[in-house]
Amino acid sequence: MKTKKNRLFICLFAVILLFTATSSARVTPTYAIVNCKIIPVTGSPIDKGIIIIRDGLIESLGPQGKISIPEDAEIIKAEGLFAYPGLIDAHTNLFLELPKEETRRPETMRTVSAEPQQKEKAQHPDLMALKLLKPKKTAVADLHKIGITTVLVAPERGIYAGQSVLLNINGEIAEPMVIKSPVALHVNFTTASGTYPSSLMGTMAFLRQSFLDTEYYSSYKSQFSKSARGLKRPEYNPFLEALLPYVVKKSPIFFNCANLEDIKRALGLIKEFKLNAFLTGANEAWRVADLLIKNANVPLLVSLDFKPPMTSIYVNQGEELKKKAEEEIYPANAANLHKKGLTFALTSQGLKKPDDILKNVQKAIKTGLPKEEALKSMTIIPAKFLGVSSFLGSLEPGKIANIILTSGEIFDEKAKVERVFVDGISFEIKKPPKGEKPSAVNIAGRWSATVSSAMGEWESTMELEQDGNQISGNISTRMGRWEIRDGILSGNELALSISATIMGETMDVAFSGTAEKDSIEGTITFMEWSMELKAKRIPDGKF
Amino acid sequence: MTKRILVFAAILIICASLCLAQEKRTSVIAIKGANIIPVVGEDISEGTILIKNGLIEAVGKNVDIPQGAKIINAEGLFAYPGMIDGSCYLGLQEIGSIRATVDYRETGRINPQVKTVEALRPDSMHIPISRSNGITAALVAPSGGLISGQSGLIRLVGWTPEEMIIKSSVAMHIQFPSLPRLRRRGETQPREEASKQITELKEILNQARYYQKGKDAAKKNLGLRLPEFDEKLEFLLPVVNAELPVMISVHAEKDIKAAIKFVKDEKLKAIFLGVTEGWKIAEDIKKSGIPVVFDSLNSVPPKWEDGYDAFYRNPGVLAKAGVKFAFSSGSASLAKDLPYFAAKAAAFGLDKKEALKGVTIYPAQIFGVDKMMGSLEKGKLANIVLADGDMLELRTNIKHVFIDGKEVDISSIYTELLEKFKKR
Amino acid sequence: MQRKNIGIILVVSLVVFSSFSFGQDLLIKNGTILTVTKGTIPNGDILIIKGIIKQIGENIEAPKGIKIIDASGKYVIPGIIDSHTHIALTGTNESAEAITAEVKMRDVLNAEDRSIYTAISGGVTMVHTMHGSGNPIGGENIVIKTKWGKTSEEMIVHSAYRTLKFALGENPKRANSPAVGTLRYPQSRMGVNAIIRREFLKAKNYMEQWDRYLKAKKSKKPPKNLILPRKDLRMEQLADMLRGKMVARCHSYRADETLEFIKLSKEFDFKIACFEHASEAFKIAKELAEEKIGISVFLDNWAYKVEASEGIAYSAAYCTKNGVLVSINSDSNERIRRLFNDAAKAMKYGGLSEEEALKLVTINPAIQLGVEKIAGSLEVGKHGDIAIFNEHPLSAYTLCEKTIIEGEVYFDRAQYLKEREEMEKKKKEEEKKKVKKGGTK
């Protein structure tokens, strides 16, 4: 009897184990990457090395000969390839589809009254990037192509923009990617639309007052919880509730610094309210390097967006200087910070195209940032800043298998990422289809288009931009303005993907046709319908 | 009885002749002892200007003063010709933010039919202020649209518009794009180019020419159809027939070049207004023979590379290149500042004597009234200013102003309000 | 909380000052020195050591190695002070609400504003840069020196009065913005007055709450349910007004609204340093002189809106002659470079003497801003803030050649002309190269 019961329990136990084992994690193959040059970032490079990946982690790594290859390992021949930790982009805009901001005309002063407004209602510090997770279609492939395996994604708009999420880009489904949520509260030195604060000076006062109010709210709540008798119960305030973990409990806050004065503003607030905060954006940080040295305990994230801010003197002293600023001076930001002994992470924040990330890292290196520093600034340093360095940011046994294999040294002109591992899952980088040709014409500009279908004809205007054979832009119709993405002009063959929003629903609509210098013709397909599109170029100077 | 009548008649005759003599006396005025700056000709220290019937009868060191003339002792004072404002809104605006008081700007793009002299308000509070600072005539100009309307030349005294008008139609005003304004953040906005304006203008001028041809042909032949009346084209005829000059408000270098070519192609008479980047192509402007009226110099140059003093330097550079120029206030409430633009230009390189000419004889020449005004010369209108110093200086006080030989009231709302509240 | 802030400011300033070297050494020789307060020295020298004027007189011996400026034939005056501008700021108005006393110009300083250069090209060395006039109560202004090229912190003049911007009349009631004008209270002058009164009454109540709390806390038996009042930054600013820590700078045009505001200041016992613009000040010169309240005006900019339609050019001189402290301001990033021209007009319109006219843009604004100990005239012990002109500064033919702040030359016309010449040369050479290459134009 006893043994039967035991056997039953054992069986049940085994079943449960099996069940949990299968449902808890995807089963990933064991890999042995052989014969590659390993750059662990923490520790010396290994010329001819082996990395063993098991269960999503780096089991072991070391020089050839010292590491034995397990029987169940799939061998990945990596002769002539370099192995690096997967790059961490500690603040990116390129991954998610963020909701488009309603362009309602702020009927300026619509609700302005002499009474202090419900200004808090206009803010959304509780907006979670986690809830907005809708990765762009080609985002995963684009980022893997550059070697980025981990991204921090934050809501971008508003003074209190919301709270960010840290993702390991291990596929197309959102939830399994999440490493940490929330990571930080994101603050911009911008204004609220249509309400207070409508100016930067107002925003500064508003930030201070909201920090004071959060502290007050928290102390009142704790006083009430200690002895409620005789005290009015605290009013629930969702805005202050959202701020409480950051202002009182000192969870991290990211201050987005568009210019050098923003950096000063942020440091002032950090000091005044003893915040645990990071500086991000900061593409002219070098200009206040001395101040940053004094505040070296504040983590610095520096954007690879080299566009000088509008306030910069480099922008309003003539075209020549403006160009020099964009091409030489601002790209040297990281190099200059490094020269002053400052540590920072490099981010893609503000960049509109994934290709620009690599281009701009290369520019930063060309203007004087040592390559090893660039690599550190996208691996171990952001990992440390974000508190994940115990399992990310370098190639060490026990850490997560986020590895990139490149042909050529990383960031080199000719180097290409061949394969990427994220959480031990292998992604081979696809080459562009052989059939793609360079474009035969330049179709950038404004076009007047007529779309005809069984339901009739309608007019629209297209604005196209061309970068090599990549086409992007937008098409304006009576129903709104739709984004044109993923366009390829191969010879005279044009293929576009249009993100059409009709009655609140967004769907992708495909166009395929031919393009000449002044005319475009083709077919739009949408579900089972197809429509003809004919477009003529609008010459400059006319409307 | 007859003796009484005779005596009575004699007394009447004596009184009458005395009265006549009185009148004769006041129509002859002698300004004595002034330091005369005639602008054309040499300066005369302690000279005399003789005014008769509104005109300058004589100017010199030793001038015979007829008996009965009214003598004005001008010892220690300087006598200048009255200044001429090259473009302003006197009489067309009282308070800038109140549209009901602003009449120099119409709606629409093409308005050749409107004339500023037909909207003149002789009682404007700004006219006496300008006049009391030595300005005796002004071009009152329209603004807005592409073709804004016709400007006129007025004297700064008169009870009715008719009394003020010297020339009811001086030029047809055209607006080319202005330079972007320097906003506080230092950004400059993108600007359109004048090519668009020129295309539009060429078309409408051609239409006007066809219109003229059609009218001429119909006149000769009753059988032909008479072209229907077209207001815009009708009022552009004097322009295409080169009878009425165009005054083009133009600023950017590219636009000035295009404007020069446009004027040449269309065979128009022209004056340029503004010309803030003129210093970049002074030679071309000189070659074109087109005179220039400067706007108020009080703007900050939007392009850093042009230098902080670009607008101040501009007149000096153009004058050196031989371009005919004049200054303007471009204002109603600040029209009195006309002389100070000339002085500012002199501070930044314009010859002082040329600066003075830029507010006297040169505008008179540009507007075709130099036979009447612009200098203290025999035969010209007695528009004379008596000042206790250099007329272009800020600290100078104007003591007397004569327009058409009559001394004018130099009190204004400024002095009236001051006196009123002094009595508090 | 306030003491803490002051403490932070003190520590930061100490650190800030110790890390900056204050001013430079300079000797200006042989100029006509118009001290403004102590007469004219026809052929004089000024010695500046570490930014402070150490000596003014004739034939001063030059310390070894000092930088010398030869001012022969030139006129040397104190750096001009513009007591009402909006330059060097990112933004001017917080117009979403009518009362915004909590906003501070200190937070939005922009040292890269080109207008700072425009200012020094006209001999201006110090400005009071302010919140706009869109609100009955705007925000806290700030006084900075126009140290073009330096950081915003280095520009701040810490010893100036703290000032709060008030505005009356057409602007705060939005009379001239038809599109949005009719939506925000107040819409009338009576509303403007009422809302200012309301805010001060609120501030008094706020201060009373804090007083009661502190009293109760200190008492022998503090009540059990004693709670800290909420700290309100807007109320703190107004409380500072009532405590005398900040003074009012009030934008007004009409004589009547000016008098009403004086009444209001008496009702709540706060200090008015100055009325801005005060077009009709000449109508109430008597009252202004009695109350010892200054005005900061345009000389002759007028008739752009109804409340400025009786702003006569004689007002500045007339008020000066009747005992009012008058300064001339620009309130414009263009007019700022010709304040000396405006001052000269006060001689013509009202008969001020040369010295009286110069005071309008030097010592008078300094006194109004509380910086007369360090600026506004050329006296030993004051900062070496100086402007050098090629003709008498009150002549229409003059221009500013050098602008010096604390002994350092920030604007040098000779240098500017040299750079232009080199630029032109370079351009010509490049064009020659283009033509040589056979390129078409």
Side-chain angles (χ1 to χ4, degrees):
Chain A
M1 258 305 165
K2 245 199 193 166
T3 32
K4 236 196 187 164
K5 250 202 191 158
N6 280 350
R7 273 207 206 120
L8 205 64
F9 276 142
I10 292 170
C11 285
L12 259 170
F13 192 60
V15 168
I16 293 169
L17 212 66
L18 258 171
F19 184 76
T20 49
T22 47
S23 64
S24 67
R26 285 143 84 167
V27 175
T28 53
T30 306
Y31 293 102
I33 307 170
V34 298
N35 249 329
C36 60
K37 177 156 184 183
I38 304 176
I39 320 290
V41 173
T42 55
S44 345
I46 302 168
D47 267 333
K48 261 195 152 77
I50 302 183
I51 309 175
I52 308 294
I53 303 172
R54 184 192 294 281
D55 246 345
L57 302 178
I58 297 174
E59 190 180 70
S60 56
L61 65 95
Q64 201 103 359
K66 288 255 176 86
I67 306 286
S68 53
I69 301 173
E71 269 179 31
D72 59 333
E74 191 179 312
I75 311 243
I76 305 219
K77 297 211 178 117
E79 266 97 36
L81 296 185
F82 292 76
Y84 297 95
L87 299 179
I88 302 174
D89 188 348
H91 192 165
T92 185
N93 301 125
L94 295 168
F95 191 68
L96 285 192
E97 295 260 356
L98 288 168
K100 293 233 149 68
E101 174 158 317
E102 300 102 58
T103 44
R104 58 190 167 107
R105 288 234 121 206
E107 306 146 43
T108 357
M109 265 83 83
R110 161 176 62 116
T111 44
V112 177
S113 64
E115 296 303 320
Q117 296 161 277
Q118 299 284 46
K119 37 198 132 172
E120 300 170 351
K121 286 218 171 109
Q123 300 296 324
H124 42 78
D126 52 348
L127 182 65
M128 297 287 197
L130 175 63
K131 298 269 155 60
L132 303 172
L133 280 182
K134 191 179 162 205
K136 285 188 187 155
K137 250 195 164 171
T138 50
V140 176
D142 286 339
L143 291 173
H144 284 176
K145 205 162 72 170
I146 315 168
I148 294 177
T149 55
T150 311
V151 288
L152 181 134
V153 183
E156 287 297 320
R157 293 199 193 89
I159 299 169
Y160 286 111
Q163 301 172 44
S164 46
V165 62
L166 188 64
L167 305 171
N168 231 14
I169 314 174
N170 60 22
E172 309 252 320
I173 308 166
E175 250 105 62
M177 289 199 246
V178 178
I179 301 174
K180 201 181 189 182
S181 172
V183 179
L185 174 68
H186 287 252
V187 175
N188 292 313
F189 291 106
T190 180
T191 57
S193 71
T195 181
Y196 178 97
S198 68
S199 67
L200 182 58
M201 55 181 86
T203 297
M204 287 305 292
F206 175 66
L207 287 171
R208 283 201 195 93
Q209 187 69 63
S210 52
F211 293 154
L212 284 171
D213 287 346
T214 310
E215 287 173 348
Y216 182 74
Y217 181 73
S218 169
S219 74
Y220 190 87
K221 272 176 43 169
S222 46
Q223 192 170 352
F224 187 80
S225 68
K226 281 196 205 119
S227 82
R229 270 305 152 92
L231 275 179
K232 213 163 166 227
R233 70 174 172 90
E235 266 177 49
Y236 178 76
N237 185 323
F239 173 71
L240 298 177
E241 283 291 343
L243 293 183
L244 214 150
Y246 297 97
V247 176
V248 177
K249 305 221 182 87
K250 312 298 179 191
S251 288
I253 301 179
F254 272 43
F255 283 106
N256 188 11
C257 303
N259 55 47
L260 57 88
E261 293 292 341
D262 278 352
I263 294 177
K264 293 180 199 172
R265 289 186 259 267
L267 290 174
L269 289 172
I270 294 170
K271 197 183 245 167
E272 195 180 336
F273 293 94
K274 299 198 183 35
L275 304 171
N276 168 19
F278 292 35
L279 301 175
T280 182
N283 75 350
E284 44 177 28
W286 92 90
R287 300 177 69 189
V288 287
D290 292 332
L291 187 61
L292 291 169
I293 291 171
K294 286 201 188 93
N295 291 275
N297 57 319
V298 176
L300 179 62
L301 288 81
V302 161
S303 164
L304 289 164
D305 176 5
F306 299 142
K307 192 151 180 284
M310 280 321 302
T311 46
S312 169
I313 38 165
Y314 293 107
V315 152
N316 51 35
Q317 284 188 15
E319 282 307 311
E320 218 186 291
L321 186 59
K322 193 172 175 184
K323 236 194 195 166
K324 193 166 178 225
E326 273 194 62
E327 318 261 299
E328 292 169 35
I329 302 175
Y330 278 75
N333 183 23
N336 288 333
L337 290 172
H338 172 71
K339 278 193 196 110
K340 290 253 171 163
L342 285 160
T343 317
F344 48 87
L346 290 172
T347 74
S348 69
Q349 193 225 357
L351 291 179
K352 305 260 162 47
K353 290 191 238 157
D355 283 342
D356 287 343
I357 305 179
L358 181 59
K359 256 193 234 153
N360 286 8
V361 176
Q362 287 165 344
K363 253 196 200 152
I365 294 171
K366 212 186 281 178
T367 50
L369 181 67
K371 206 198 281 179
E372 307 79 58
E373 286 310 311
L375 179 61
K376 273 200 211 143
S377 307
M378 293 191 79
T379 51
I380 194 63
I381 292 175
K384 284 208 176 105
F385 283 172
L386 297 170
V388 296
S389 58
S390 60
F391 52 90
L392 276 178
S394 59
L395 298 178
E396 292 180 62
K399 286 203 173 180
I400 291 180
N402 277 15
I403 308 170
I404 56 177
L405 297 175
T406 61
S407 60
E409 268 188 48
I410 196 168
F411 304 141
D412 272 358
E413 291 285 321
K414 300 240 169 77
K416 280 215 157 40
V417 176
E418 303 285 342
R419 191 188 284 260
V420 158
F421 292 87
V422 184
D423 276 326
I425 302 167
S426 166
F427 296 89
E428 223 179 310
I429 305 301
K430 295 196 190 85
K431 306 275 192 285
K434 291 252 164 78
E436 224 176 81
K437 287 189 285 180
S439 50
V441 281
N442 187 330
I443 59 169
R446 305 187 83 237
W447 297 78
S448 152
T450 313
V451 181
S452 40
S453 70
M455 294 173 276
E457 267 189 18
W458 31 278
E459 303 291 325
S460 63
T461 316
M462 287 198 299
E463 276 175 11
L464 298 178
E465 281 165 33
Q466 182 163 342
D467 182 15
N469 66 353
Q470 313 246 349
I471 308 294
S472 59
N474 61 71
I475 175 167
S476 299
T477 70
R478 254 200 332 266
M479 284 175 272
R481 201 178 197 206
W482 302 337
E483 209 194 321
I484 296 174
R485 325 94 83 353
D486 303 342
I488 305 275
L489 179 60
S490 186
N492 288 81
E493 283 165 35
L494 180 60
L496 304 172
S497 179
I498 304 171
S499 210
T501 308
I502 301 173
M503 301 203 276
E505 291 285 321
T506 307
M507 48 208 113
D508 280 334
V509 153
F511 167 85
S512 113
T514 52
E516 300 292 334
K517 188 160 98 72
D518 291 317
S519 64
I520 296 176
E521 269 183 39
T523 317
I524 298 180
T525 28
F526 163 60
M527 303 231 252
E528 66 270 31
W529 293 310
S530 71
M531 299 169 263
E532 295 302 312
L533 180 140
K534 279 203 174 112
K536 260 206 160 73
R537 185 190 280 281
I538 299 173
D540 286 332
K542 277 222 187 114
F543 291 102
Chain B
M1 256 284 272
T2 34
K3 213 186 179 185
R4 269 211 205 118
I5 295 169
L6 274 167
V7 170
F8 189 57
I11 295 173
L12 267 173
I13 292 167
I14 294 169
C15 284
S17 53
L18 270 170
C19 288
L20 273 167
Q22 186 91 299
E23 256 179 54
K24 235 204 210 154
R25 235 182 285 156
T26 50
S27 75
V28 180
I29 304 176
I31 300 172
K32 270 188 79 180
N35 296 306
I36 303 175
I37 323 261
V39 173
V40 173
E42 291 300 313
D43 295 351
I44 302 162
S45 65
E46 289 167 26
T48 303
I49 306 174
L50 195 63
I51 303 172
K52 189 172 173 189
N53 294 328
L55 301 178
I56 296 176
E57 176 71 17
V59 180
K61 185 103 182 171
N62 302 302
V63 170
D64 286 330
I65 298 172
Q67 229 204 19
K70 175 167 180 203
I71 310 244
I72 298 196
N73 183 357
E75 265 173 55
L77 298 182
F78 292 78
Y80 288 90
M83 292 186 272
I84 303 170
D85 192 332
S87 174
C88 67
Y89 302 128
L90 284 173
L92 302 171
Q93 171 175 295
E94 292 308 307
I95 295 174
S97 68
I98 307 294
R99 201 167 76 74
T101 71
V102 177
D103 281 307
Y104 60 82
R105 187 186 219 109
E106 245 319 329
T107 182
R109 250 177 112 62
I110 314 281
N111 285 302
Q113 73 283 1
V114 297
K115 290 168 129 169
T116 53
V117 296
E118 292 176 357
L120 216 49
R121 179 167 188 251
D123 306 331
S124 168
M125 59 184 179
H126 301 297
I127 293 177
I129 295 172
S130 201
R131 177 171 76 210
S132 68
N133 206 27
I135 299 147
T136 52
L139 186 82
V140 289
S143 183
L146 176 61
I147 301 178
S148 327
Q150 301 168 47
S151 53
L153 191 69
I154 59 169
R155 56 177 63 83
L156 294 194
V157 72
W159 297 100
T160 66
E162 208 47 49
E163 288 179 13
M164 295 181 76
I165 298 173
I166 300 173
K167 210 171 175 191
S168 65
S169 185
V170 172
M172 184 69 72
H173 283 245
I174 294 176
Q175 312 291 331
F176 280 7
S178 53
L179 289 181
R181 238 170 46 90
L182 181 65
R183 282 150 80 196
R184 278 203 198 103
R185 280 212 313 267
E187 327 167 31
T188 54
Q189 298 147 296
R191 211 179 44 82
E192 15 156 17
E193 263 192 22
S195 50
K196 176 160 163 252
Q197 275 79 349
I198 290 175
T199 315
E200 230 181 304
L201 284 168
K202 283 194 171 193
E203 214 188 289
I204 202 170
L205 292 179
N206 275 338
Q207 284 179 26
R209 288 189 190 100
Y210 290 139
Y211 182 75
Q212 177 77 79
K213 287 205 179 105
K215 280 180 41 173
D216 290 342
K219 222 184 260 178
K220 295 195 192 116
N221 186 343
L222 269 175
L224 291 173
R225 195 178 72 85
L226 181 68
E228 235 183 82
F229 174 75
D230 183 318
E231 183 193 40
K232 314 282 182 199
L233 301 182
E234 187 73 40
F235 284 93
L236 283 173
L237 293 182
V239 171
V240 295
N241 297 330
E243 288 157 8
L244 186 65
V246 291
M247 191 145 162
I248 307 179
S249 182
V250 63
H251 296 276
E253 179 187 359
K254 246 197 201 159
D255 294 349
I256 298 171
K257 279 204 185 109
I260 293 174
K261 185 167 181 299
F262 164 72
V263 164
K264 194 156 157 233
D265 290 346
E266 300 293 312
K267 296 195 185 40
L268 305 174
K269 275 219 251 194
I271 309 167
F272 285 161
L273 176 60
V275 195
T276 37
E277 286 191 3
W279 54 278
K280 296 182 180 175
I281 43 166
E283 274 312 307
D284 293 9
I285 300 177
K286 160 77 177 141
K287 276 203 205 104
S288 74
I290 299 172
V292 161
V293 175
F294 298 114
D295 267 336
S296 150
L297 304 183
N298 292 338
S299 326
V300 180
K303 285 197 206 148
W304 176 273
E305 321 84 275
D306 288 351
Y308 78 94
D309 58 352
F311 294 178
Y312 293 159
R313 280 197 326 264
N314 194 22
V317 173
L318 288 179
K320 237 178 237 149
V323 176
K324 175 70 55 95
F325 66 93
F327 291 98
S328 77
S329 68
S331 170
S333 59
L334 292 171
K336 72 170 194 330
D337 282 351
L338 177 69
Y340 313 132
F341 296 127
K344 186 67 91 174
F348 284 83
L350 177 65
D351 174 76
K352 271 188 184 169
K353 284 214 166 90
E354 288 294 297
L356 178 59
K357 288 189 179 162
V359 291
T360 51
I361 190 64
Y362 289 161
Q365 289 168 344
I366 293 174
F367 301 136
V369 293
D370 51 304
K371 290 218 170 46
M372 281 199 278
M373 56 180 76
S375 57
L376 298 176
E377 294 182 89
K378 178 176 162 75
K380 293 201 176 180
L381 290 171
N383 290 356
I384 304 167
V385 175
L386 295 177
D388 68 2
D390 180 344
M391 188 169 66
L392 304 185
E393 259 293 7
L394 287 159
R395 302 172 273 182
T396 298
N397 296 296
I398 309 290
K399 299 291 184 186
H400 303 269
V401 177
F402 296 83
I403 300 182
D404 292 357
K406 265 170 88 181
E407 185 164 359
V408 292
D409 182 5
I410 53 171
S411 69
S412 64
I413 186 176
Y414 281 177
T415 52
E416 283 155 24
L417 280 174
L418 180 68
E419 292 312 308
K420 177 173 168 188
F421 280 89
K422 268 188 181 162
K423 296 199 189 99
R424 239 199 102 189
Chain C
M1 254 309 195
Q2 246 132 357
R3 274 203 213 119
K4 210 185 191 180
N5 282 342
I6 295 172
I8 292 174
I9 291 169
L10 269 172
V11 171
V12 170
S13 339
L14 269 169
V15 172
V16 150
F17 282 133
S18 59
S19 55
F20 302 148
S21 52
F22 184 84
Q24 293 184 4
D25 300 346
L26 184 65
L27 177 62
I28 302 172
K29 286 200 79 65
N30 293 326
T32 304
I33 301 183
L34 310 174
T35 65
V36 169
T37 47
K38 300 246 158 94
T40 302
I41 304 170
N43 208 353
D45 301 350
I46 303 181
L47 176 65
I48 301 167
I49 301 290
K50 287 210 181 41
I52 306 282
I53 299 176
K54 281 290 177 324
Q55 231 185 312
I56 304 178
E58 293 180 350
N59 298 315
I60 297 179
E61 205 185 303
K64 201 161 166 217
I66 196 169
K67 176 171 170 164
I68 299 181
I69 291 180
D70 180 12
S72 315
K74 315 284 185 193
Y75 293 78
V76 181
I77 67 166
I80 294 174
I81 300 175
D82 190 348
S83 62
H84 185 128
T85 73
H86 304 286
I87 66 168
L89 297 176
T90 305
T92 311
N93 273 297
E94 174 45 74
S95 41
E97 289 191 18
I99 306 291
T100 53
E102 70 279 9
V103 305
K104 298 188 181 183
M105 300 313 104
R106 172 71 179 91
D107 287 332
V108 295
L109 278 175
N110 175 15
E112 300 177 271
D113 183 0
R114 267 176 61 176
S115 301
I116 299 173
Y117 184 80
T118 308
I120 54 175
S121 77
V124 172
T125 52
M126 191 190 288
V127 299
H128 180 220
T129 189
M130 309 174 77
H131 187 279
S133 52
N135 296 350
I137 305 182
E140 185 169 346
N141 315 303
I142 194 165
V143 177
I144 58 171
K145 286 210 191 169
T146 48
K147 294 179 180 171
W148 178 242
K150 295 253 158 52
T151 67
S152 52
E153 313 86 81
E154 288 170 288
M155 293 187 185
I156 299 176
V157 177
H158 294 274
S159 56
Y161 293 146
R162 282 181 66 202
T163 64
L164 192 63
K165 176 74 177 275
F166 289 78
L168 312 171
E170 289 177 32
N171 287 14
K173 72 176 195 154
R174 308 312 230 153
N176 296 314
S177 338
V180 298
T182 47
L183 299 172
R184 189 186 83 169
Y185 169 83
Q187 286 291 307
S188 67
R189 285 183 165 81
M190 52 183 186
V192 170
N193 232 52
I195 203 175
I196 295 175
R197 174 180 293 116
R198 183 193 79 185
E199 289 306 301
F200 277 114
L201 288 172
K202 276 164 73 174
K204 277 180 101 168
N205 177 285
Y206 174 82
M207 289 165 77
E208 203 180 325
Q209 284 183 25
W210 275 90
D211 285 340
R212 287 162 61 90
Y213 166 78
L214 290 167
K215 226 190 225 164
K217 196 158 173 231
K218 282 200 194 112
S219 71
K220 291 226 173 89
K221 246 189 152 186
K224 234 194 143 201
N225 58 350
L226 187 65
I227 33 163
L228 196 72
R230 173 178 168 268
K231 183 165 181 191
D232 184 316
L233 294 175
R234 184 175 295 175
M235 290 295 110
E236 285 294 334
Q237 292 286 83
L238 292 168
D240 274 355
M241 286 284 313
L242 297 175
R243 292 176 192 131
K245 294 199 176 140
M246 239 191 330
V247 295
R249 296 273 308 210
C250 182
H251 156 123
S252 77
Y253 276 80
R254 281 194 351 206
D256 48 278
E257 64 198 14
T258 310
L259 292 173
E260 282 305 320
F261 192 76
I262 296 177
K263 256 166 75 184
L264 211 53
S265 77
K266 295 218 162 105
E267 192 180 326
F268 293 98
D269 198 22
F270 63 81
K271 188 162 184 303
I272 305 170
C274 200
F275 280 104
E276 316 291 322
H277 311 311
S279 276
E280 297 189 355
F282 66 98
K283 299 185 182 180
I284 48 167
K286 184 167 80 134
E287 283 82 357
L288 292 168
E290 268 167 24
E291 299 291 340
K292 295 204 180 47
I293 299 175
I295 58 175
S296 187
V297 301
F298 300 130
L299 198 288
D300 60 357
N301 192 25
W302 75 307
Y304 39 94
K305 44 184 176 165
V306 177
E307 57 188 4
S309 59
E310 297 201 339
I312 64 177
Y314 289 95
S315 186
Y318 180 76
C319 289
T320 303
K321 290 212 156 128
N322 283 278
V324 182
L325 186 66
V326 179
S327 68
I328 294 182
N329 66 48
S330 73
D331 195 6
S332 149
N333 63 345
E334 188 281 314
R335 213 160 26 238
I336 194 171
R337 59 190 181 150
R338 46 191 176 92
L339 283 170
F340 46 93
N341 291 149
D342 284 347
K345 284 177 182 170
M347 295 180 67
K348 180 196 180 79
Y349 290 102
L352 289 190
S353 70
E354 259 180 30
E355 202 166 80
E356 282 173 319
L358 267 179
K359 284 190 177 167
L360 297 174
V361 291
T362 51
I363 192 64
N364 289 3
I367 295 171
Q368 290 171 348
L369 295 171
V371 296
E372 70 274 26
K373 288 209 178 72
I374 58 167
S377 61
L378 297 176
E379 293 183 54
V380 170
K382 292 202 179 185
H383 289 186
D385 296 349
I386 292 167
I388 301 180
F389 287 78
N390 67 341
E391 302 281 340
H392 193 287
L394 299 178
S395 160
Y397 297 109
T398 194
L399 57 74
C400 176
E401 292 204 342
K402 288 191 170 54
T403 303
I404 295 157
I405 304 176
E406 291 157 25
E408 194 174 334
V409 178
Y410 282 86
F411 171 73
D412 187 342
R413 182 165 165 83
Q415 176 72 18
Y416 160 78
L417 289 172
K418 211 165 94 188
E419 283 167 6
R420 272 212 82 75
E421 230 186 279
E422 280 167 25
M423 196 182 76
E424 297 289 319
K425 237 198 264 169
K426 226 169 110 188
K427 245 196 209 163
K428 282 206 179 107
E429 280 168 17
E430 276 178 30
E431 292 217 359
K432 271 197 208 140
K433 275 195 206 145
K434 267 196 195 155
V435 173
K436 262 194 182 162
K437 274 194 178 159
T440 48
K441 225 188 176 180

